[in-house]
Amino acid sequence: MRARAAASSLGQLQARLARADNRLRRLDVAAQQAVEHYSTAVYRRTQAADAVRVTTAQASAARRTTERRRQAVAEIAAATYRLDPGWGPMSTYLDAAGPDDLLDQTITMTMVSASVASRYEALRASQSVSAVFAAQARDALDTGRWAAAAADTARRQVTAAVASQSRSVDSLTAQKRALLVRLARLERVSVHLAAARQHALERRARQRAEEARDLPPEDGDDGGGGGGGPTTRQRERAVGYALAQLGEPYVFGADGPDSWDCSGLTMRAWAAAGVSMPHFARGQYWQSMRIRLAALRRGDLVFWASDPEDSNTIHHVAMYLGRGRMIHAPRPGRDVERRSLWYMGTPTHVAQVR
């Protein structure tokens, strides 16, 4: 009876530990979603600021061109007036000394009139262009203000989410520790050995679940993702850069050199290989070429989204290392680490940089 009760208690403890681990993973996702929302807002703020600079410069140049053309029209008008304040077809005819003089005056005044008309049309065109650029600059400024406000709001939200997640993680970690102590007592082993056994059980469960999945090639270098992708040298350089950051802390919004968020790590790793990408996971996916999970190679990017059918819900990115392993910056409170590709569940999106 005591053995049966002990076995029952052991099973219950193991189930509670598994639930605690699942809760920790859900907390990871929640923090990643908040951080990705912030990273996207920051990227849009940067784009808006660039647009403000460009449109403001265009509007200023258009105003200068308009002013030059306005001055040119004024100068020609003044010159025409000095030439003959009362000029008109009849006055030209009456004042002419003869047919040749009449012809000369008519040609001259016609040319002056045509020049004024041409300059006036150029002025009107400049005024129209200037008005368009001024409107674009105002719109860009409004968008920039909105993007800046959105980024500030997202920062406050992610700060609150990360703080809440950290508190929950601390609480769950304490619960897990207490459960492992009880588990160790039931098994009459050390806490370290109980934790190792629990980890082995969970690992075997994941391995069984993975057996039915569409696994990538074992060496990570077969079944390529299509033409036009990065070279092997670039892949190894990106992977090497990422691996050099192992053990460095996660900080949301960070892109090195000593702290990282998920997209900051992959962005800098591929920048070291000569590939430029934006600093948010969704943008990295949108810029890359979609491939099948079975076509994964070293250096390719794997993503997780709340909705597998919608890339707008991507919240995390990692780099594939081959042999079913990945490297990533997981979440606040954790460091850059190597993990099983399946640690967070099957990736919902897979891509090759380009």
Side-chain angles (χ1 to χ4, degrees):
M1 182 67 71
R2 290 184 63 185
R4 186 179 303 172
S8 176
S9 296
L10 180 61
Q12 290 174 3
L13 284 175
Q14 288 173 337
R16 290 178 65 184
L17 280 167
R19 288 196 296 271
D21 281 338
N22 287 334
R23 174 61 178 156
L24 283 171
R25 291 193 182 92
R26 288 197 296 272
L27 287 169
D28 281 356
V29 170
Q32 290 160 2
Q33 288 172 329
V35 171
E36 181 62 18
H37 180 60
Y38 170 73
S39 298
T40 303
V42 168
Y43 179 76
R44 288 173 177 164
R45 181 184 64 190
T46 302
Q47 284 187 313
D50 290 342
V52 168
R53 284 193 292 272
V54 170
T55 54
T56 299
Q58 289 173 331
S60 297
R63 283 196 299 271
R64 290 193 295 271
T65 299
T66 299
E67 188 55 37
R68 286 197 302 271
R69 289 178 175 175
R70 183 182 289 109
Q71 186 64 31
V73 169
E75 289 172 357
I76 292 177
T80 302
Y81 183 80
R82 287 194 299 271
L83 182 65
D84 186 351
W87 180 79
M90 186 58 69
S91 65
T92 300
Y93 176 78
L94 294 173
D95 295 341
D100 291 339
D101 188 33
L102 173 63
L103 181 60
D104 289 343
Q105 286 193 41
T106 301
I107 291 173
T108 297
M109 299 310 295
T110 299
M111 290 174 62
V112 170
S113 179
S115 179
V116 171
S118 175
R119 295 295 179 90
Y120 180 67
E121 287 301 318
L123 172 60
R124 290 184 61 187
S126 291
Q127 288 173 326
S128 297
V129 171
S130 182
V132 169
F133 282 144
Q136 289 178 345
R138 288 193 298 271
D139 289 344
L141 187 59
D142 289 342
T143 300
R145 288 169 177 161
W146 172 86
D152 289 340
T153 299
R155 184 178 183 85
R156 289 193 296 272
Q157 290 173 341
V158 74
T159 301
V162 168
S164 174
Q165 190 246 27
S166 296
R167 289 191 297 270
S168 297
V169 166
D170 290 343
S171 174
L172 276 173
T173 301
Q175 291 177 35
K176 280 192 64 177
R177 189 177 297 113
L179 287 171
L180 282 171
V181 169
R182 291 180 59 191
L183 183 61
R185 287 173 180 168
L186 280 172
E187 293 185 328
R188 297 182 180 180
V189 297
S190 69
V191 173
H192 177 75
L193 184 56
R197 287 180 177 175
Q198 182 66 20
H199 179 70
L201 286 172
E202 294 169 359
R203 185 174 63 249
R204 284 198 293 271
R206 286 197 298 269
Q207 288 173 344
R208 286 194 295 271
E210 289 163 12
E211 289 174 355
R213 289 174 174 156
D214 187 15
L215 296 173
E218 271 300 301
D219 62 4
D221 288 319
D222 298 326
T231 64
T232 299
R233 181 185 295 272
Q234 285 178 302
R235 290 177 180 276
E236 291 306 317
R237 186 168 296 171
V239 168
Y241 185 97
L243 289 172
Q245 318 313 317
L246 280 169
E248 294 183 347
Y250 182 106
V251 174
F252 76 84
D255 60 356
D258 302 314
S259 58
W260 310 89
D261 68 6
C262 67
S263 56
L265 177 64
T266 51
M267 177 185 73
R268 291 300 180 199
W270 271 108
V275 178
S276 176
M277 295 192 298
H279 186 184
F280 68 119
R282 295 164 192 170
Q284 292 180 7
Y285 177 72
W286 295 332
Q287 178 180 304
S288 302
M289 182 176 70
R290 288 66 163 160
I291 58 174
R292 294 175 296 109
L293 184 62
L296 268 176
R297 299 176 62 191
R298 277 171 66 84
D300 285 338
L301 301 180
V302 288
F303 304 83
W304 286 263
S306 303
D307 180 357
E309 302 299 321
D310 184 2
S311 63
N312 285 296
T313 67
I314 286 174
H315 55 76
H316 191 63
V317 58
M319 179 179 289
Y320 184 59
L321 298 177
R323 299 185 180 277
R325 305 286 287 176
M326 68 177 184
I327 183 170
H328 71 151
R331 61 166 171 80
R334 294 256 295 278
D335 300 331
V336 175
E337 62 183 9
R338 273 179 292 213
R339 280 279 190 170
S340 163
L341 180 63
W342 317 109
Y343 166 69
M344 297 174 59
T346 304
T348 57
H349 299 75
V350 185
Q352 171 188 281
V353 304
R354 57 182 175 185

